[in-house]
Amino acid sequence: MKGTRGGRAAVLPDGAWQPPQRVPAEGEGMAVRFIEESGARSQVFDFGRLPGDPGIQRWLAGAFTRRTGPRSGVKRLESARGIYGACRRLAAVLAAADPPPSSPAALTSAHIAAFSLRYAAMPTGRYDLITLRALLREDPDLPEPARAALLDGRLPAPRNDRDRAAAYSGQEWQLIMTAVRGDVRRARDRISAGRSLLARHRAGQLPGGSTQVLLGELLDVFDRTGTVPRKPSGDPAMQVTEAGGVDAVTSSLCLTADEMAAFGLLLAAQTGQNFGTIAAWPAVGFEPGGPVTLIEQVKPRRGPDREHMVVPLEDLPPGLAGVLSAAGPEDRLFRSPLRAYRLLTDLTACSRRHLGTQGAFTAFSARGGGFIDGLRQDHVYVWARNHRFPTAAVPPERAGGRPAISVRRIRQTVIETTRHPVAHTRATMNDHYLARSARVRARSQAVVGDALRGEVTKARDIQAARVFTAAFIARFRQDPAAAAAEAGMDEAGLRQLIDEDKDTAVTACADHLSGPYTEPGQPCTASFLACLDCPNAWALPRHLPLQLAMAGHLAALRPHLDPALWRARYGPRLGQLQQILGCYTAAERDQAREAITSQQRAFIADVVAGHWDLR
């Protein structure tokens, strides 16, 4: 798609065009050609080289052909190589069996078990089983017992999968991004200076005899031809050496491999997109106007119908940019994926022109054989090593406190920080990316725990009967008005509760005609156990023996009832009683316990059994 509103018109191939053959003709072996969807790369996988009987080789070749077809989710060469590797390891296990099967019809569950046991402890074991399940799930030649063993068997536990995908800490993130931003700045400044020197050379503005003239001539040659002057032996010419070598000349107009990797890491950190998806971005996008560019990208794991996506790269809004601290040009560059992308495509213009590619990621490496077309994972490994970062998941104490570079962890960090789904659904973000994070789980548990404790506190505040202690009653005797104000009641109503007989079972009722369980003005008909929930209920010292008797009775019922029944019916009541009892001193509780009579115990037993409830 061109950088215009209309894009590029679609065309059909000429009449002589034929699609490349994936499977050779009959009698030409058992090789299968895999072609990436973009057509950029292809590879022939020879199943005839697998160990074992030709019948097994032919069967696996057919399954591979179906799994990697045009309508499958396998779009990249690395994925096809992974499937072929799993097939090779399965073929090795089958060839070592006694006797080895000569066709898929001879496969049994024992063969699948042997494969699982052999590779269960290896790093590829889990992923091989996942790969083979997708490959052979609907294979028509696989016997049902073997299919059941393959699909129903338990996957090996992932090897530190959660640790490898853990988000970076703030300090680790800062270390990585400082190195990334340093490479981007140096590339921008160096290529800008090289282009300026080349322009002044072509305009004849360089002073004669200066050292810049030699570099300007070499840049002119490299910009036009894509190479530097060389001797007949192939070594760089003397003037190239005098100018600082091949790297000094080529890096004045092109990114190095490390700088290309730095741009990939920067864009991954800014967007949260998969590194492999970013690496396949084109250098041209649709610009509908305003600070946005639309990039067409492919994510095969989304399936054939949803793999093609359009990603908007946006600049910082002026209002937001204005409130950023020290919001200069560089700050906006490192906060704006659009500016970083445009800078990338600008700095790779020379290398893209000589490669004839539309990919956004290109570079030049004298040691790597010249121009580099495309960003790969190994470029990140080399970048990490050159910047003294570990390339494996080693403990920080063994790496000098520097974190291991992982594009998975970069994406995990972005998703955890923003809590915004990137090229997936919100359910996938919650169930996969956030659920596997120990940090998110700990924070979520703390938030949920605080919320639940708050709800429990509120529930207890509502359910617990309010208590008038002996000290409060003494204050009422001395100053009724002050005590009534403290309780939030009128003096007459408080006096009735304290002095008059308004008891129910284990509490006193302030107003039995305005209960929450009946219509206003009607006498309350609720069970006496429900008084512990009622806002009209008040507990006084004279009720303490009955409350102790009921608490003991409920606790005694626990081992004799179904646990779920006891928790639902009596558990909350015992909790309410214990809260009331906690308002009294130990001495007061001991004195009340000695005062419990047999009649009171019998009365409490009848109340708990429901004998006092209205039928």
Side-chain angles (χ1 to χ4, degrees):
M1 185 180 293
K2 293 182 179 179
T4 64
R5 292 184 180 275
R8 184 176 65 236
V11 295
L12 293 174
D14 57 49
W17 181 85
Q18 293 292 330
Q21 295 299 312
R22 299 184 62 234
V23 183
E26 189 71 26
E28 295 185 5
M30 286 181 284
V32 180
R33 180 186 298 276
F34 176 81
I35 306 168
E36 285 192 338
E37 186 179 50
S38 63
R41 295 186 297 170
S42 67
Q43 181 173 331
V44 174
F45 295 93
D46 189 359
F47 284 79
R49 300 175 60 183
L50 299 185
D53 192 273
I56 296 295
Q57 297 170 351
R58 191 175 298 106
W59 169 61
L60 291 175
F64 179 88
T65 303
R66 292 189 296 271
R67 182 72 182 95
T68 59
R71 292 293 296 169
S72 74
V74 182
K75 303 297 185 183
R76 293 178 180 156
L77 187 56
E78 288 75 12
S79 301
R81 289 170 178 166
I83 297 173
Y84 182 76
C87 290
R88 183 177 63 249
R89 287 183 281 275
L90 176 61
V93 170
L94 298 180
D98 186 21
S102 58
S103 68
L107 264 65
T108 65
S109 58
H111 293 119
I112 303 300
F115 177 85
S116 301
L117 289 174
R118 178 169 178 177
Y119 293 106
M122 297 186 182
T124 61
R126 174 183 177 87
Y127 302 102
D128 279 347
L129 277 177
I130 294 174
T131 299
L132 290 178
R133 286 180 176 183
L135 180 71
L136 304 176
R137 181 182 301 275
E138 298 179 359
D139 188 275
D141 299 322
L142 185 67
E144 284 305 318
R147 191 194 317 276
L150 178 64
L151 299 181
D152 298 339
R154 190 170 184 177
L155 289 172
R159 294 167 57 90
N160 299 325
D161 182 67
R162 293 185 184 272
D163 295 336
R164 289 200 302 269
Y168 289 111
S169 67
Q171 183 179 4
E172 292 172 334
W173 185 259
Q174 187 62 34
L175 283 172
I176 297 171
M177 290 299 108
T178 297
V180 166
R181 290 192 291 263
D183 278 0
V184 171
R185 289 191 186 99
R186 285 187 289 270
R188 178 196 58 192
D189 297 342
R190 185 189 65 248
I191 295 177
S192 177
R195 288 174 174 175
S196 176
L197 177 64
L198 176 60
R200 286 186 287 129
H201 166 74
R202 288 174 174 173
Q205 297 175 355
L206 296 179
S210 67
T211 56
Q212 293 182 329
V213 173
L214 174 59
L215 182 56
E217 292 174 350
L218 295 175
L219 291 179
D220 181 62
V221 172
F222 179 72
D223 185 62
R224 288 185 291 103
T225 66
T227 187
V228 296
R230 295 185 178 274
K231 301 175 182 178
S233 63
D235 294 332
M238 184 61 64
Q239 59 266 38
V240 177
T241 305
E242 293 175 356
V246 176
D247 286 338
V249 176
T250 59
S251 64
S252 296
L253 297 178
C254 297
L255 294 177
T256 66
D258 274 0
E259 292 164 349
M260 178 180 64
F263 267 101
L265 294 174
L266 176 62
L267 287 168
Q270 289 177 329
T271 65
Q273 296 283 346
N274 286 104
F275 181 81
T277 302
I278 292 174
W281 276 1
V284 288
F286 176 63
E287 299 185 1
V292 64
T293 293
L294 303 180
I295 302 295
E296 184 179 2
Q297 70 177 21
V298 179
K299 189 175 182 182
R301 284 185 296 176
R302 289 168 59 93
D305 299 326
R306 300 173 59 243
E307 60 184 325
H308 293 277
M309 306 172 59
V310 175
V311 177
L313 298 183
E314 299 178 89
D315 193 9
L316 290 174
L320 177 59
V323 300
L324 294 175
S325 59
E330 289 199 348
D331 296 279
R332 295 194 67 181
L333 166 65
F334 296 120
R335 289 182 172 91
S336 167
L338 177 60
R339 289 179 178 239
Y341 170 76
R342 287 179 175 173
L343 178 61
L344 169 66
T345 56
D346 177 52
L347 299 183
T348 57
C350 177
S351 52
R352 288 202 320 274
R353 171 161 47 86
H354 289 294
L355 284 167
T357 182
Q358 291 186 341
F361 290 90
T362 58
F364 188 95
S365 173
R367 297 178 181 83
F371 288 104
I372 301 174
D373 186 6
L375 176 61
R376 301 186 303 276
Q377 185 72 45
D378 57 314
H379 292 130
V380 176
Y381 296 150
V382 175
W383 181 91
R385 186 174 63 246
N386 292 341
H387 289 74
R388 297 184 295 110
F389 286 102
T391 57
V394 298
E397 58 271 15
R398 292 177 51 194
R402 299 174 73 81
I405 300 300
S406 167
V407 294
R408 289 183 63 203
R409 293 185 65 185
I410 288 177
R411 177 172 166 85
Q412 180 75 23
T413 304
V414 175
I415 293 174
E416 282 191 26
T417 303
T418 62
R419 303 295 175 94
H420 182 74
V422 181
H424 52 246
T425 63
R426 185 166 293 277
T428 299
M429 178 187 70
N430 293 335
D431 298 341
H432 179 69
Y433 291 96
L434 299 185
R436 72 184 178 190
S437 169
R439 184 184 310 172
V440 171
R441 291 199 306 273
R443 291 176 180 174
S444 300
Q445 289 167 357
V447 171
V448 172
D450 290 343
L452 292 177
R453 283 189 290 272
E455 292 300 318
V456 169
T457 300
K458 289 192 297 184
R460 285 176 174 172
D461 290 343
I462 294 174
Q463 291 180 355
R466 290 164 291 181
V467 179
F468 286 151
T469 63
F472 176 84
I473 295 177
R475 291 197 299 273
F476 172 77
R477 301 300 184 192
Q478 295 177 357
D479 190 350
E486 180 183 344
M489 300 177 62
D490 62 88
E491 185 178 341
L494 180 57
R495 188 179 299 278
Q496 288 180 349
L497 278 176
I498 294 176
D499 293 340
E500 299 183 14
D501 189 8
K502 300 192 71 173
D503 293 350
T504 55
V506 292
T507 62
C509 182
D511 187 358
H512 72 287
L513 298 178
S514 62
Y517 308 107
T518 55
E519 294 294 330
Q522 297 297 319
C524 181
T525 59
S527 167
F528 284 123
L529 285 176
C531 291
L532 294 169
D533 291 335
C534 184
N536 291 324
W538 290 85
L540 286 87
R542 65 172 178 267
H543 302 133
L544 187 54
L546 290 168
Q547 292 161 355
L548 285 167
M550 180 174 283
H553 187 81
L554 295 180
L557 287 175
R558 186 169 190 170
H560 303 289
L561 295 178
D562 178 76
L565 175 63
W566 186 91
R567 286 195 301 268
R569 182 176 296 177
Y570 301 124
R573 306 305 179 196
L574 181 57
Q576 293 165 326
L577 288 169
Q578 289 173 342
Q579 187 174 358
I580 295 173
L581 298 177
C583 297
Y584 297 93
T585 65
E588 289 173 330
R589 291 195 297 270
D590 291 341
Q591 184 178 4
R593 191 174 290 109
E594 293 177 358
I596 301 174
T597 65
S598 57
Q599 291 82 359
Q600 289 175 325
R601 295 185 187 279
F603 170 70
I604 290 299
D606 289 340
V607 170
V608 173
H611 297 163
W612 283 82
D613 294 345
L614 295 177
R615 302 297 180 181

